């Protein structure tokens, strides 16, 4: 909680497309929001843009793929802002390519940033949440973790792994008032998705019954819903938000 008794939410990878929309929506919905970033130039531009739009969000630098740097950042946030009630594990990267061509570093980069980061952040916040008997952990996975995607063995493995983590941890911490859930967005109009070759993206959108990319605000509203006090009986769930691209 912060000094005015607002729940504090940490969004990792806050300066990306989804992270930005989450920060804005959570702030509008009455949370105290802090963001994490890794690239200083991007963070500087982001803060200026957000301030111009009337959103005041403190950003903290930290490499969530490193356990030590994550720990340092979390301590800084707790000292400067307060104890973190809700963690949104949103930071993620792609290094697409067929496995036959995949470089060892591209495998490790994706697993470290997308999956090990979930451990690094959650593990170091969990004791505090247990003591305070409240917590919301929201893991941002992907439709490609649910169904697989040509060219994404690393990404799909990491994203599927996130939901395995969610289900197991949900069972372990349910008795402490902590919920753990996954959100699996489909193709959303972010820079990450727009980097997919145009021809490939056109083919993908053609498989989406809604015939369009998702909006970042659509995912952000789901995050805010799961962060709320009222969702205290929802845990271990995986919310698909993909325009019907993958139904099961
Ligand atoms: N299914 C079957 N075959 C395919 C295919 C597919 N979807 N895509 C490509 N191929 C085939 C090609 O036809 C080609 O076959 P031939 O050699 O027989 O001609 C072969 O694979 C090689 O294709 P490329 O020349 O495209 O090879 P590449 O290795 O340079 O690139 C790729 C492959 C990187 C996967 C590229 O196609 C690509 O970027 N695909 C998009 C992957 C994607 O959807 N990423 C999502 C990013 S956004 C995100 O991750 C957010 C989220 O959560 C949704």
């Amino acid at each position: 909680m912060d000094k005015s008794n607002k729940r504090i939410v940490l969004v990792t990878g806050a300066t990306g497309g989804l992270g930005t929309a989450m920060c804005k929506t959570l702030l509008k919905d009455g949370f105290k929001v802090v963001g994490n970033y890794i690239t200083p130039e991007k963070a500087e531009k982001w803060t200026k843009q957000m301030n111009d739009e009337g959103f005041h969000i403190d950003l903290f630098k930290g490499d969530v793929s490193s356990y030590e740097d994550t720990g340092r950042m979390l301590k800084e946030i707790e000292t400067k802002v307060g104890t973190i009630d809700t963690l949104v594990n949103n930071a993620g990267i792609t290094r697409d390519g067929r496995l036959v061509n995949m470089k060892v570093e591209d495998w490790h980069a994706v697993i470290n940033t997308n999956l090990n980061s979930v451990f690094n952040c959650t593990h170091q916040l969990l004791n505090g949440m247990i003591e305070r008997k409240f917590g919301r952990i929201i893991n941002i996975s992907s439709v490609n973790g649910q169904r697989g995607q040509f060219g994404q063995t690393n990404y799909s493995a990491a994203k599927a792994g996130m939901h395995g983590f969610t289900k197991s941890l949900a069972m372990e911490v349910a008795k402490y008032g902590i919920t753990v859930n996954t959100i699996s967005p489909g193709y959303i109009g972010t820079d990450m998705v727009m980097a997919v070759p145009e021809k490939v993206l056109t083919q993908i959108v053609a498989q989406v019954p809604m015939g369009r990319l998702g909006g970042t605000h659509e995912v952000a509203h789901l995050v805010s819903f799961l962060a709320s006090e009222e969702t205290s009986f929802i845990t271990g769930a995986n919310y698909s938000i993909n325009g019907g691209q993958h139904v099961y």
Side-chain angles (χ1 to χ4, degrees):
M1 295 256 191
D2 74 349
K3 288 183 202 106
S4 57
N5 277 349
K6 283 185 177 179
R7 293 278 187 206
I8 300 176
V9 185
L10 167 63
V11 178
T12 68
T15 59
L18 280 177
T20 303
M22 288 172 196
C23 288
K24 289 181 182 179
T25 300
L26 287 161
L27 202 68
K28 278 189 208 151
D29 289 348
F31 294 95
K32 169 76 186 173
V33 184
V34 294
N36 146 262
Y37 73 96
I38 191 159
T39 313
E41 306 76 55
K42 205 171 166 191
E44 208 175 300
K45 263 195 204 150
W46 188 89
T47 301
K48 186 178 177 320
Q49 174 72 29
M50 293 291 263
N51 284 340
D52 288 350
E53 291 179 32
F55 297 97
H56 303 290
I57 292 167
D58 294 327
L59 279 186
F60 292 84
K61 188 168 190 293
D63 176 359
V64 289
S65 72
S66 151
Y67 192 85
E68 289 68 30
D69 202 43
T70 299
R72 181 204 51 73
M73 175 190 73
L74 294 175
K75 279 203 191 84
E76 190 186 344
I77 296 172
E78 298 215 341
T79 308
K80 290 189 177 156
V81 185
T83 52
I84 295 164
D85 302 292
T86 296
L87 167 65
V88 186
N89 284 309
N90 167 66
I93 58 169
T94 51
R95 295 282 185 275
D96 292 353
R98 289 176 294 152
L99 190 71
V100 282
N101 297 329
M102 191 174 287
K103 293 192 196 110
V104 173
E105 55 264 36
D106 287 343
W107 172 264
H108 288 300
V110 170
I111 299 297
N112 286 336
T113 303
N114 298 15
L115 181 59
N116 290 339
S117 62
V118 175
F119 172 78
N120 296 339
C121 293
T122 310
H123 190 245
Q124 300 186 77
L125 287 177
L126 203 57
N127 274 328
M129 290 181 178
I130 290 171
E131 271 165 31
R132 296 187 295 276
K133 300 270 185 298
F134 182 89
R136 297 274 184 273
I137 296 162
I138 303 167
N139 295 322
I140 308 303
S141 178
S142 165
V143 65
N144 293 343
Q146 296 172 300
R147 60 159 213 161
Q149 168 62 38
F150 190 103
Q152 285 202 308
T153 49
N154 48 6
Y155 187 86
S156 299
K159 294 298 189 180
M162 282 173 110
H163 189 55
F165 177 97
T166 290
K167 290 187 284 187
S168 300
L169 184 61
M171 290 175 182
E172 293 179 15
V173 297
K175 65 180 174 194
Y176 304 113
I178 302 170
T179 67
V180 192
N181 291 291
T182 302
I183 293 177
S184 292
Y187 283 71
I188 311 296
T190 59
D191 290 348
M192 182 188 275
V193 166
M194 300 323 283
V196 171
E198 200 183 336
K199 203 171 131 226
V200 179
L201 192 56
T202 305
Q203 285 165 1
I204 290 170
V205 174
Q207 300 159 10
V208 180
M210 286 200 182
R212 65 171 175 89
L213 297 174
T216 52
H217 64 287
E218 292 172 302
V219 178
H221 278 288
L222 184 50
V223 170
S224 187
F225 167 73
L226 287 174
S228 69
E229 307 288 319
E230 290 75 17
T231 56
S232 43
F233 203 53
I234 301 176
T235 198
N238 188 356
Y239 281 77
S240 295
I241 175 161
N242 62 38
Q245 184 187 3
H246 179 64
V247 292
Y248 61 100

